[in-house]
């Protein structure tokens, strides 16, 4: 075999190898893309929010209490929205932290509970076959799970930024405790009012 023929054979062999490698890589990429589960719009939105927070940490110190509590508030509201959207529909939420808003634990807890509990009447309408006590109980479970998820996600971000300590950690814990107290009070007030209404009817 002459040199020219040998070179052509070598080139053809390399071309075939490259084609095979490209085909294998393409098949692998397609396989990986197919294997990856599709994300919901809410999950994509939340991932984008988390990424933007991480990207901005060099410009704005999230160690400031208000920034951390604003993140906590947004995460909780997003989680409530995601939990309720399948049954109650899309909800418009102010996702961006506004200047001058009180992000103390008390104020943050008030806003989260106020937002969450305003959907109770809708929950009742969609579960009319339930007794009142069961309506309250199921609603509290649904809202409680969503808030827990929001707090977990916010805490994970703050932990990743290594700022979930000291005053910030105390603020997160205090906010969570206040939310639980306010939710329990909301449920008790509804149950008491319903019991009083029932007694009035019997009288």
């Amino acid at each position: 075999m002459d040199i020219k023929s040998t070179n052509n054979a070598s080139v053809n062999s390399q071309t075939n190898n490259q084609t095979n490698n490209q085909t294998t890589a393409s098949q692998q990429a397609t396989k990986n893309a197919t294997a990856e589960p599709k994300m919901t719009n809410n999950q994509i939105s939340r991932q984008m929010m988390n990424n933007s927070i991480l990207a901005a940490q060099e410009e704005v110190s999230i160690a400031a209490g208000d920034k951390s509590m604003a993140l906590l508030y947004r995460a909780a509201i997003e989680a409530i929205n995601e939990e309720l959207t399948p049954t109650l529909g899309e909800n418009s939420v102010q996702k961006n932290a506004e200047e001058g808003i009180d992000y103390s634990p008390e104020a943050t807890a008030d806003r989260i509970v106020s937002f969450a509990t305003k959907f109770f009447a809708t929950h009742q309408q969609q579960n009319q076959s339930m007794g009142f006590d069961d309506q309250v109980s199921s609603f509290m479970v649904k809202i409680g799970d969503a808030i827990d998820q929001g707090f977990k996600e916010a805490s994970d971000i703050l932990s990743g930024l290594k700022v979930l300590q000291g005053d910030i950690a105390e603020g997160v814990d205090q906010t969570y405790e206040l939310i639980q107290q306010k939710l329990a009070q909301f449920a008790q007030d509804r149950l008491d009012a319903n019991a009083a209404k029932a007694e009035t009817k019997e009288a």
Side-chain angles (χ1 to χ4, degrees), residues 73-74 77-78 80-81 90-96 115 118-119:
Y73 171 74
R74 288 198 305 272
I77 295 300
E78 287 285 352
I80 292 170
N81 261 339
E90 294 286 346
N91 302 297
S92 176
V93 181
Q94 181 66 37
K95 295 182 177 64
N96 298 322
F115 176 80
K118 73 180 182 179
F119 298 106

Side-chain angles (χ1 to χ4, degrees), residues 22-36:
Q22 290 173 353
T23 301
T24 301
S26 176
Q27 291 174 342
Q28 186 63 37
T30 301
K31 181 179 179 181
N32 291 340
T34 303
E36 291 179 358

Side-chain angles (χ1 to χ4, degrees), residues 161-181:
L161 297 176
K162 303 186 186 306
V163 297
L164 189 60
Q165 53 195 336
D167 291 343
I168 292 177
E170 291 177 8
V172 171
D173 290 342
Q174 186 179 356
T175 302
Y176 183 81
E177 290 175 6
L178 287 168
I179 288 173
Q180 300 309 309
Q181 293 172 14

